[in-house]
Amino acid sequence: MDIKITDVSIKLLDKLCEIEKQCFKQEAFTKQQLTYLLTDYNVIRLAALVNGEIAGFAIARVDIRRNDQFGHIVTVDVTPAYRRKGIAQKLLREIETILRESGIIECRLEVRENNIAALNLYQKLGYKKVGKLEKYYGTAHGLYLTKTLQ
Ligand SMILES: CC(C)(COP(=O)(O)OP(=O)(O)OC[C@H]1O[C@@H](n2cnc3c(N)ncnc32)[C@H](O)[C@@H]1OP(=O)(O)O)[C@@H](O)C(=O)NCCC(=O)NCCS
C-alpha cells in the first residue's frame, strides 16, 4: 500500500472534521478548534493519503515554556478502514522528523489510560509513561508520555 504524507491546508477542514468525529465521537475537536489548529503558525499538521484519499491525519504543536521548546502531539486520527496498516506510525515519525529539524529534542503527549491502541502505538515508537493525569478526560484518567527525539 502506498502511503503518501502531505501538508494539510484549511481547505480540508470539512474532511478532517468528519474523520475526527469518526475517531472521537462526542469528544471530537469542534470545527472551531480544528480551524484554529489548521491555521496557527506554531502547529504541524500532516495528512496520510492512500490512492489520493485521506486515510488519516496528525497534528502537533510546538510549545514554548520559559527557554524550553518541545513538541506536543495534539491528535492522531486514522479512519477505521485504514487502521493497522502503519499509517499512524508514519504520520508520527514524520512529525518527529520535522520537530528534530527545528532543533526540538523532546516530544510529549497525553492519552486516555484505556486507549490501548494509542498506548501501544506510542510505546512502539518509544514514548515512555512519565505520569498519570487524574480525571484528565472528565471522569477518565489520562497518562502523560514523553520521548527524547534523537
Ligand atoms: C490509535 C490509532 C491512531 C492507530 O492508528 P493505526 O494507523 O491503526 O496505527 P498503526 O497501524 O501505525 O499501528 C502501530 C502500532 O500501534 C499499535 N496498535 C494500533 N492499533 C491497535 C489496536 N487496535 N490494538 C492494539 N494495538 C494497536 C500496535 O502496536 C501497532 O503495531 P502492529 O500493527 O505492528 O502491531 C487509530 O486506532 C485511531 O485513529 N484511533 C482513534 C483515535 C485515537 O485514539 N487517536 C489516538 C489518541 S490521540
Side-chain angles (χ1 to χ4, degrees), residues 108-122:
R108 304 177 184 179
L109 59 90
E110 297 86 25
V111 60
R112 267 179 180 268
E113 192 180 40
N114 62 359
N115 189 343
I116 302 302
L119 260 176
N120 284 351
L121 162 72
Y122 297 135

Side-chain angles (χ1 to χ4, degrees), residues 24 76 78 83-86 88-89 115 117 120-122 124:
F24 291 102
V76 189
V78 175
R83 287 188 187 158
R84 228 50 205 267
K85 298 179 192 308
Q89 282 184 85
N115 189 343
N120 284 351
L121 162 72
Y122 297 135
K124 187 169 184 179

Side-chain angles (χ1 to χ4, degrees), residues 5-120:
I5 305 295
T6 172
D7 285 334
V8 169
S9 97
I10 188 72
K11 288 182 191 160
L12 295 174
L13 177 63
D14 286 342
K15 182 67 190 167
L16 266 45
C17 277
E18 187 187 314
I19 297 174
E20 173 74 10
K21 280 193 192 122
Q22 273 180 331
C23 288
F24 291 102
K25 314 275 177 325
Q26 64 273 24
E27 287 171 352
F29 282 127
T30 61
K31 194 167 192 173
Q32 193 182 12
Q33 288 168 321
L34 277 177
T35 302
Y36 167 74
L37 290 167
L38 294 184
T39 48
D40 185 70
Y41 76 99
N42 242 356
V43 172
I44 301 164
R45 47 235 156 200
L46 298 177
L49 298 181
V50 177
N51 299 326
E53 184 185 353
I54 300 183
F57 67 94
I59 297 179
R61 216 171 44 214
V62 176
D63 282 344
I64 303 166
R65 303 253 169 91
R66 297 195 184 93
N67 291 331
D68 201 17
Q69 277 197 76
F70 55 89
H72 192 146
I73 304 294
V74 177
T75 194
V76 189
D77 298 37
V78 175
T79 60
Y82 286 106
R83 287 188 187 158
R84 228 50 205 267
K85 298 179 192 308
I87 290 177
Q89 282 184 85
K90 202 159 180 169
L91 283 164
L92 288 172
R93 286 190 202 282
E94 188 61 34
I95 281 185
E96 290 175 0
T97 300
I98 295 170
L99 289 169
R100 259 194 309 269
E101 285 172 357
S102 315
I104 292 169
I105 55 159
E106 188 190 349
C107 191
R108 304 177 184 179
L109 59 90
E110 297 86 25
V111 60
R112 267 179 180 268
E113 192 180 40
N114 62 359
N115 189 343
I116 302 302
L119 260 176
N120 284 351

